[in-house]
Amino acid sequence: MTSPAQQDPPIDDWHETLIRVRYSETDKMGIVYYANYLIWFEIGRTEYCRARGFAYKDMEANDDAFLVVAESYCRYKAPAYYDDELLIRTHITEMRRRSLRFGYEIVRNSDGQVIAEGETGHVVTDSDGRVRSFPEGYAQRLMAAPIVKSTIPTGNLVPDREGPG
Amino acid sequence: MTSPAQQDPPIDDWHETLIRVRYSETDKMGIVYYANYLIWFEIGRTEYCRARGFAYKDMEANDDAFLVVAESYCRYKAPAYYDDELLIRTHITEMRRRSLRFGYEIVRNSDGQVIAEGETGHVVTDSDGRVRSFPEGYAQRLMAAPIVKSTIPTGNLVPDREGPG
Amino acid sequence: MTSPAQQDPPIDDWHETLIRVRYSETDKMGIVYYANYLIWFEIGRTEYCRARGFAYKDMEANDDAFLVVAESYCRYKAPAYYDDELLIRTHITEMRRRSLRFGYEIVRNSDGQVIAEGETGHVVTDSDGRVRSFPEGYAQRLMAAPIVKSTIPTGNLVPDREGPG
Amino acid sequence: MTSPAQQDPPIDDWHETLIRVRYSETDKMGIVYYANYLIWFEIGRTEYCRARGFAYKDMEANDDAFLVVAESYCRYKAPAYYDDELLIRTHITEMRRRSLRFGYEIVRNSDGQVIAEGETGHVVTDSDGRVRSFPEGYAQRLMAAPIVKSTIPTGNLVPDREGPG
């Protein structure tokens, strides 16, 4: 029996977002430094939320709920290089009342090479660091089908700043 | 008299690219940490080149020419926040045989607020750090009109990885 | 005439602290990425305060005063490499009621090579970002002679550089 | 039976080094951003080597051997704050001919609170990324008793830059 607090994870529902490797992310080996993958996972989570119709920042600012990281894991399978376009693939692997886990894949866009796989575990807390349950509606939205299957961190359109003139 | 080595900078020819503020770029003040602006300037330079039809990485890899930073300046005019969409505006302010300068503006996309202005000075070197002149063709391309006026670091399209099936 | 709000800067009173270049601070050129210098300047400021007998974090936490960065400048004079020991030299170059400026020098410890010089301008604000004057006592402490001339960021012990004399 | 390629890890032989949390390492939650722990693990490895009498950079530069990261894991047990002094404890948990694993503990110095535990797995490669065995002498030195039990990244002494005396 599954407790009502635990839902089946939408394990096949990967969200995809695209980034480009920055010069600052490389190290003297000529490849991406290994800590940056955790920053990319964070981007994956942010965009996963946006694809479900909400901004993670609003969960923090409006509903006093923070996804504090309790665990991180990354397996580095192939090096990534400056200026590579990388697909960050993100899904939820476990959902509980006060915690969740995300899984990730990093794939080089040009050749489909899997660069890394990873996982992070999170606990929901308030701004004072006390464990709490998800604010109303968020768990449902996180488990819902995405509005869009893929996003890019900056949106699809570069807006025209110059106006109609 | 202008020496042949120095060309008029295309001062009105700003390139624009769009980024989104990462969680990792904020600090305990709740705003973006000030060193990250220099990383964004770097993205501006990379995309400025791409909009002129070449990848900066190829200038390093194929033509043994590196734009080493000799100087950086940034004026912070308003704070930037997590998840803000920011426009990085980049142009060349001075072009010489063995050096160039870029100017930058960071503008929040949602309200047009100017976040920062900056400048960087660069010297062209080979991989051993010796000053050299621009490899053939690059100075011309840097000064040329852009092929596209704005880019985003990850391109305009999120490609369909699954294919037609 | 000097206004009472502006005091003479203790221009010869450089504070010194020592760091070691991290692998993560290098880039694919094999040298330190240029944004990291601003992080080192921040360490210089933190240790400058500690050498005057207070923790900068207490100024934020106890007295609601933040040294927001308004301007940064850095001139890169020689590359720094992984594992280099670098001396961060910090002093105050201008002190006003609601702002101050720091100057910096980064020097490689092994050979005395000057790696970089820089400057940052700061405005004092409260936690809501409103400009305010220094909380009582802090301006005096910042301008006072140091308790110790040099510190190391981690040191339980600040070694006496001058010897027993 | 233990294969000759695998040696017993010196599991009780923790190396300790001390760092101080930088402002840049915090995020808008007011605590250290989770990717920075991997940077600290790297410092732990660098100082572990130094305590065994060699610089990791020399292994790269003189003997063409790189400890490429294949895996990272971190469990975050308590938040770390700006200006905290943290002890990085590092030991080797597995040693093979072409790979090794490090284990880590991060402990706050002021109250002994365990902040995090982690592990990284590494493969030895040459500068072209080909797997190779440890260059002669290094495996032995890594497994040997330390020359000093703890170091600080910047050494115990701030050398006297001034002068002849």
Side-chain angles (χ1 to χ4, degrees), chain A residues 20 23 25 60 87 153 161, chain B residues 20 23 60 87 153 161:
Chain A
R20 194 182 280 278
Y23 210 95
E25 292 170 334
E60 286 195 359
L87 208 52
R161 289 180 63 253
Chain B
R20 194 183 281 278
Y23 210 96
E60 287 195 358
L87 209 51
R161 288 179 63 254

Side-chain angles (χ1 to χ4, degrees), chain A residues 7-153:
Chain A
Q7 301 170 252
D8 283 340
I11 209 153
D12 298 327
D13 230 350
W14 291 87
H15 174 264
E16 298 188 346
T17 192
L18 201 55
I19 59 151
R20 194 182 280 278
V21 174
R22 302 171 170 190
Y23 210 95
S24 59
E25 292 170 334
T26 62
D27 67 21
K28 71 189 279 289
M29 272 192 213
I31 61 177
V32 170
Y33 185 73
Y34 81 129
N36 290 299
Y37 290 72
L38 302 195
I39 296 175
W40 298 343
F41 292 168
E42 169 95 52
I43 294 173
R45 295 194 294 275
T46 293
E47 296 303 316
Y48 180 98
C49 293
R50 200 179 333 276
R52 265 79 191 164
F54 69 99
Y56 169 68
K57 77 175 162 196
D58 291 337
M59 184 170 142
E60 286 195 359
N62 303 340
D63 295 283
D64 195 31
F66 297 74
L67 294 179
V68 171
V69 186
E71 242 178 329
S72 70
Y73 172 74
C74 188
R75 192 148 75 95
Y76 306 88
K77 303 183 78 169
Y81 299 97
Y82 165 59
D83 218 42
D84 277 357
E85 280 196 328
L86 300 179
L87 208 52
I88 308 172
R89 308 185 73 229
T90 308
H91 68 162
I92 289 179
T93 56
E94 188 183 274
M95 186 72 179
R96 294 179 179 270
R97 209 189 317 237
R98 300 168 172 205
S99 68
L100 85 171
R101 296 182 75 81
F102 285 98
Y104 313 89
E105 264 186 34
I106 309 287
V107 180
R108 181 162 34 232
N109 209 33
S110 61
D111 60 4
Q113 168 77 52
V114 178
I115 299 297
E117 293 167 349
E119 197 167 359
T120 56
H122 302 260
V123 174
V124 189
T125 75
D126 63 18
S127 57
D128 292 325
R130 280 182 298 250
V131 176
R132 53 160 290 171
S133 51
F134 277 100
E136 205 186 319
Y138 281 103
Q140 290 72 12
R141 273 182 277 183
L142 283 164
M143 301 299 289
I147 297 168
V148 290
K149 185 171 170 51
S150 63
T151 64
I152 45 176

Side-chain angles (χ1 to χ4, degrees), chain C residues 67-122:
Chain C
L67 293 180
V68 171
V69 185
E71 242 178 330
S72 70
Y73 172 75
C74 188
R75 192 148 74 95
Y76 306 88
K77 304 184 76 169
Y81 299 96
Y82 165 58
D83 218 43
D84 276 358
E85 281 196 328
L86 301 178
L87 208 53
I88 308 172
R89 307 186 73 229
T90 308
H91 68 162
I92 289 178
T93 57
E94 189 183 274
M95 186 72 178
R96 293 178 180 271
R97 207 187 321 235
R98 299 166 172 208
S99 68
L100 85 171
R101 296 184 73 83
F102 286 97
Y104 312 90
E105 263 185 34
I106 310 286
V107 180
R108 181 163 32 235
N109 209 33
S110 61
D111 60 4
Q113 169 76 53
V114 177
I115 298 297
E117 292 167 349
E119 198 167 358
T120 56
H122 302 260

Side-chain angles (χ1 to χ4, degrees), chain C residues 18-20 22-25 39 42-43 46 50 56-57 60 82-83 85 87 109 152-154 161, chain D residues 18-20 22-25 39 43 46 50 56 60 82-83 85 152-154 158-159 161-162:
Chain C
L18 200 56
I19 59 152
R20 193 183 282 276
R22 301 171 172 192
Y23 210 96
S24 59
E25 292 170 336
I39 296 176
E42 168 95 51
I43 295 173
T46 294
R50 201 180 332 275
Y56 170 68
K57 76 175 161 191
E60 287 195 359
Y82 165 58
D83 218 43
E85 281 196 328
L87 208 53
N109 209 33
I152 44 176
T154 44
R161 288 179 62 256
Chain D
L18 201 56
I19 59 151
R20 194 183 281 278
R22 300 172 170 191
Y23 210 96
S24 59
E25 293 171 333
I39 296 175
I43 295 172
T46 294
R50 199 177 337 274
Y56 170 67
E60 286 194 359
Y82 165 58
D83 218 41
E85 279 196 329
I152 47 176
T154 46
V158 178
R161 285 178 62 249
E162 258 99 29

Side-chain angles (χ1 to χ4, degrees), chain D residues 65-67 98-99 122-126 130-135:
Chain D
F66 297 74
L67 293 179
R98 300 169 171 204
S99 68
H122 303 259
V123 173
V124 189
T125 74
D126 63 19
R130 279 182 298 251
V131 175
R132 53 160 291 172
S133 51
F134 277 100

Side-chain angles (χ1 to χ4, degrees), chain D residues 76-105:
Chain D
Y76 306 88
K77 304 183 78 168
Y81 300 97
Y82 165 58
D83 218 41
D84 277 358
E85 279 196 329
L86 300 179
L87 208 52
I88 308 172
R89 308 185 73 230
T90 307
H91 68 162
I92 289 179
T93 57
E94 189 183 275
M95 186 72 178
R96 294 178 179 269
R97 209 188 318 237
R98 300 169 171 204
S99 68
L100 85 171
R101 295 183 75 81
F102 286 98
Y104 312 90
E105 265 186 32

